[in-house]
Amino acid sequence: MYHTGSLEFQRAEMATKISHNMKKKEKGQSITERCRGFLTTPVTDISVLEEKKDEMGTKMEMLIMETQAEFYKALEEVDGGTFKVDKWERKEGGGGISCVMQDGNVFEKAGVDVTVLLGCLTEEAAKQMRSGEKVLKGKNGKLPFCAMGVSSVIHPKNPHIPSVHFNYRYFEIKEEDGSKQWWFGGGTDLTPVYIDREDAFLFHNTLKEACDKHHPKYYADFKKWCDRYFYIRHRGETRGIGGIFFDDLDSPNQEEVFNFIKSCTRTVVPCYLPIVKKHLNDSFTQEEKDWQQVRRGRYVEFNLMYDRGIKFGLSMPGCRVLMSLPLTARWEFMHEPGKGSREAEMLDVLRNPKEWV
């Protein structure tokens, strides 16, 4: 039996271990030494990363590689299965490392993906990269760019273990006059099938603590942004119980925003793995499994109809953009849960987002 104290202890233990490991790597090891802990060599050649070790592109690529390695190891440990690793190249520039487990013991599908893209964008494609209205002017309509990020979507088998998603990314664009525009974006959100308030508190509080280290308004603002962004308009409901989401973050300065991103990436294990372990042995009925499948259908609808990241990926030939989709889902005509049921409670939260901390 797990209690809040047990969950909090696990979370704190995981967070301390990850923070210590990453700080040790950053301070005491060369790029080459840090790369030895990864699934595979980075997308960018190690010699190039060594040469440009002080540039933001290198710092971010190392961070997303470390985040992928930390998360995949934690998932593999709890599941006991193995990930299939696909390192791919994109002829237009860059590539990625896709790490996917299917039909594991705990996870129906678990993916952790690193992408580093280089090349030129049309001005129209560049619009998909920003949430704001700022116009980016390229030479002859073309904008040299660099885009990189780490993203993950986890779909467990047990309906009492929530799905989770995170994505943290960095963009850099060179405009016609030679000036560079840069910004960070990302977030982490939880999609349970049933409401567990202890889980919701742990998840949101972990994110809040990370945000509070950098700005007192970050959590409140980015929590609202998350609820707005992961909204399925044609259903009138959010995809899950949210978390944080932000885009176009480019102030107060590049180093401070990058430090905030580092804090966010260090939450991905401690805000989720204690919840997974808590529910590992929960029993479930066929009716609960069917409800999970209906909610998975909503997940697919949001990703294919509204998600800007997937729309951007589909405009970039060679990208692995549909990793986020579950193996199975279900669509029922005019499905409505029974009044007073746990399914109805879940739907009420999705239609009326709550404050969890």
Side-chain angles (χ1 to χ4, degrees), residues 291 335-345 347:
W291 173 240
H335 183 276
E336 193 69 28
K339 191 174 181 180
S341 66
R342 292 191 69 203
E343 292 80 6
E345 178 194 24
L347 207 52

Side-chain angles (χ1 to χ4, degrees), residues 22-217:
M22 288 193 170
K23 285 177 182 176
K24 185 178 176 183
K25 288 175 185 176
E26 286 173 15
K27 289 183 178 179
Q29 297 181 329
S30 67
I31 294 278
T32 302
E33 288 171 327
R34 289 168 69 187
C35 289
R36 292 189 186 123
F38 300 160
L39 286 166
T40 181
T41 53
V43 176
T44 303
D45 190 88
I46 292 176
S47 62
V48 175
L49 293 173
E50 289 278 18
E51 184 184 330
K52 299 181 177 180
K53 63 182 180 181
D54 296 324
E55 293 186 12
M56 185 52 67
T58 296
K59 292 179 182 179
M60 187 64 179
E61 186 165 352
M62 293 302 291
L63 178 64
I64 62 180
M65 291 293 296
E66 284 167 352
T67 303
Q68 182 186 52
E70 288 280 355
F71 199 50
Y72 118 85
K73 287 172 187 174
L75 295 171
E76 206 166 66
E77 183 182 346
V78 78
D79 186 280
T82 56
F83 280 83
K84 183 181 289 185
V85 180
D86 173 31
K87 186 176 182 183
W88 49 275
E89 292 184 4
R90 181 174 166 271
K91 65 180 182 180
E92 294 83 359
I97 301 157
S98 298
C99 176
V100 178
M101 180 194 293
Q102 293 187 163
D103 277 327
N105 298 307
V106 176
F107 305 112
E108 181 183 286
K109 190 175 180 186
V112 196
D113 200 3
V114 158
T115 309
V116 179
L117 304 177
L118 306 168
C120 285
L121 285 176
T122 63
E123 290 171 0
E124 186 59 36
K127 288 180 183 177
Q128 294 292 345
M129 297 170 70
R130 293 188 73 107
S131 63
E133 297 297 318
K134 184 168 181 178
V135 177
L136 297 165
K137 297 299 292 181
K139 190 173 183 179
N140 299 320
K142 297 285 186 181
L143 290 149
F145 82 102
C146 168
M148 63 182 68
V150 58
S151 61
S152 179
V153 177
I154 311 300
H155 294 294
K157 288 184 171 180
N158 192 317
H160 298 295
I161 303 176
S163 289
V164 76
H165 156 261
F166 71 81
N167 172 272
Y168 293 101
R169 55 193 181 272
Y170 171 69
F171 292 109
E172 197 174 272
I173 283 185
K174 191 173 182 179
E175 294 197 83
E176 185 178 17
D177 61 3
S179 63
K180 281 187 178 180
Q181 300 285 340
W182 61 266
W183 64 94
F184 292 86
T188 308
D189 65 285
L190 196 70
T191 305
V193 174
Y194 292 100
I195 289 297
D196 183 311
R197 295 181 188 281
E198 182 182 85
D199 295 351
F201 173 82
L202 176 106
F203 185 81
H204 277 267
N205 194 52
T206 305
L207 294 172
K208 184 179 185 299
E209 287 179 357
C211 289
D212 287 351
K213 291 176 186 175
H214 299 273
H215 198 290
K217 290 187 67 181

